[in-house]
Amino acid sequence: MRAHQPQLHLNPRWRQNDPYGAQERAILSQHAHAKARRILSRWPGYTPTPLRNLPGLAQRAAIARLDYKDEAERFAAAGLGSFKALGAPYALYVSLVARLRPRIGQTASLENLLQGRYADLTQALVAVCATDGNHGRALAWAARQLHCRCVIYVHPAVSAARREAIARQGAEVREAPGTYDDAVAACAEAARRERWLEISDTAYPGYWTTPRRIMQGYTVLVEETLAALADADIPTHVFVQCGVGGLAAALAGHLWERLGARRPRLIVVEPATAACLLASARQGRAVKVGGALATVMAGLACGQPSTLAWRLLERGATAFMTVSDESAIVALQQLARGSAGDPPVVGGESGVAGVAGLLTVAADAAIRDALALDERSRVLVIGSEGASDRELYQRYLHATADNVPSPTPD
């Protein structure tokens, strides 16, 4: 496969001993996490996802330990299989409660909403978001569970299988021309015009309350991970993929507040063609990157970071780096086939980008040194999705160096 020279930016604002301050707690906090966990733990089908130890791949990367949080199992029976199923449902529930309270004079419980007690009111409400696939599927599922309508905006590069999966959950799928960022803008305009409940997962000026709740939902998987680890196995490094940055920010904030100076180094991993967080880190402010943003890591094809995520990552991330499409495919194949006795793991092309980042760093002595990655390191990666498009997954699984599938859908 084609050689790729990774870009790496060490964050000059990151300090291991910096305290978790008021600015950060205004976005993510232990108190907010507890509220999200109380709701999500009562959702039918909720169970913590597996944390898979992969000693074979750890040996290949010349590190002491590698743990893979397998979000392919997240509400898998409902057809979701992604960490997004923690964010959209929680944010939609809170938004519905706020919209209903003036009408019913009380806070609607999750159980009453699931049972359809207020269906005469909720069926007149519309939840809307923009998506590359998984977030829209999770919102469509949650809207059906909570008895409200749902509209999902996609862009032309979203595959037919991902659109069909959203539609099977009962949502109306609308296409907006351009990129993911254009779909976000179309969604926001429709929400303002129609007074719909906007549940997009990226924050922008004037819209931050719901994205904050979505990130609070994501902290549930971080706490699940800590609960599954012995104290001696707490990671020294986290490699986490980024689209708009919500997952990375949830990891950065929750681990920072929970572990303080023991928090791991957090490395943000982005596609080389859609590295908006790396560009932001280099300029010291949230910036948008242009272009087609074409990448096989379709869930990460975002040109503009969430402003809330950036506020956590600008001091909470140790470094920002890029990986190639080819390295993501190699990581997908390595996980699927197992390495030196590791169990096979199904990880989608976007969900394995953190693994691709680790393997890219592991093969470069200079970058290893820069990130203090060595044979004693314990690494956490988040397998943030399963095979969300099974036909594409099979194509990537059987790709060769001379036959790398195009990121453009059929």
Side-chain angles (χ1 to χ4, degrees):
M1 293 185 177
R2 296 189 298 273
H4 165 71
Q5 183 60 42
Q7 299 180 62
L8 176 73
H9 177 78
L10 297 176
N11 185 4
R13 300 195 64 189
W14 181 83
R15 297 287 185 275
Q16 183 81 48
N17 295 321
D18 274 357
Y20 194 71
Q23 173 179 296
E24 290 78 26
R25 282 194 178 86
I27 304 170
L28 297 178
S29 67
Q30 291 296 296
H31 176 70
H33 159 76
K35 291 173 65 176
R37 185 176 58 189
R38 279 197 300 271
I39 296 300
L40 289 167
S41 64
R42 286 160 35 206
W43 210 291
Y46 168 81
T47 187
T49 52
L51 184 66
R52 306 193 189 281
N53 182 243
L54 302 177
L57 200 54
Q59 184 177 24
R60 175 187 171 124
I63 58 175
R65 183 182 179 97
L66 176 60
D67 288 295
Y68 181 97
K69 180 65 166 166
D70 192 353
E71 290 296 297
E73 300 296 321
R74 184 71 66 186
F75 291 106
L80 302 185
S82 160
F83 79 103
K84 297 287 190 179
L86 293 172
Y90 176 61
L92 178 58
Y93 165 73
V94 177
S95 295
L96 283 174
V97 165
R99 186 66 69 91
L100 290 174
R101 190 178 290 116
R103 301 286 301 276
I104 66 175
Q106 61 183 343
T107 296
S109 71
L110 175 64
E111 289 74 17
N112 282 342
L113 284 172
L114 289 168
Q115 292 162 10
R117 178 171 176 178
Y118 306 109
D120 57 327
L121 298 175
T122 57
Q123 285 171 358
L125 301 176
V126 178
V128 61
C129 77
T131 190
D132 279 315
N134 289 329
H135 179 65
R137 190 186 307 195
L139 180 61
W141 172 76
R144 187 171 67 173
Q145 295 275 307
L146 298 176
H147 303 277
C148 68
R149 295 158 54 207
C150 188
V151 174
I152 304 296
Y153 280 81
V154 300
H155 54 96
V158 176
S159 71
R162 292 187 173 109
R163 297 177 192 222
E164 291 164 5
I166 294 168
R168 283 197 299 272
Q169 297 291 350
E172 176 189 343
V173 179
R174 298 183 181 181
E175 182 177 287
T179 65
Y180 167 78
D181 304 293
D182 297 310
V184 170
C187 165
E189 173 57 30
R192 285 191 294 268
R193 184 178 64 248
E194 305 291 346
R195 292 198 72 246
W196 290 346
L197 297 168
E198 184 178 1
I199 314 292
S200 287
D201 59 354
T202 185
Y204 53 81
Y207 175 75
W208 62 275
T209 300
T210 296
R212 181 182 65 175
R213 290 172 182 151
I214 288 171
M215 290 194 297
Q216 290 165 353
Y218 298 161
T219 64
V220 171
L221 76 87
V222 190
E223 189 61 31
E224 289 175 1
T225 301
L226 292 175
L229 288 170
D231 189 68
D233 295 329
I234 295 296
T236 59
H237 296 72
V238 176
F239 286 78
V240 57
Q241 54 272 22
C242 256
V244 298
L247 175 61
L251 280 154
H254 195 77
L255 292 171
W256 190 355
E257 186 175 19
R258 279 277 274 111
L259 300 176
R262 292 185 62 208
R263 63 181 166 134
R265 296 172 185 265
L266 187 134
I267 297 92
V268 170
V269 181
E270 297 179 281
T273 55
C276 60
L277 269 299
L278 185 143
S280 298
R282 284 177 168 166
Q283 296 197 32
R285 59 185 178 86
V287 299
K288 181 177 181 178
V289 298
L293 309 176
T295 171
V296 299
M297 293 167 273
L300 311 180
C302 306
Q304 188 164 349
S306 167
T307 54
L308 274 184
W310 170 247
R311 282 170 56 188
L312 281 167
L313 293 171
E314 64 179 331
R315 290 200 309 126
T318 310
F320 301 80
M321 68 172 293
T322 62
V323 292
S324 66
D325 282 359
E326 290 76 19
S327 66
I329 292 172
V330 167
L332 180 152
Q333 293 172 344
Q334 284 288 325
L335 288 165
R337 295 165 185 166
S339 181
D342 287 346
V345 174
V346 175
E349 60 277 8
S350 299
V352 303
V355 178
L358 168 63
L359 295 178
T360 298
V361 168
D364 189 307
I367 299 180
R368 284 184 73 107
D369 288 344
L371 296 177
L373 187 79
D374 60 28
E375 68 279 359
R376 297 164 297 178
S377 298
R378 303 178 299 275
V379 175
L380 170 67
V381 293
I382 309 298
S384 56
E385 66 168 0
S388 59
D389 183 324
R390 292 196 172 275
E391 182 178 345
L392 278 177
Y393 178 81
Q394 288 299 319
R395 287 170 59 190
Y396 297 144
L397 184 60
H398 299 292
T400 65
D402 299 322
N403 181 28
V404 178
S406 168
T408 303
D410 295 335

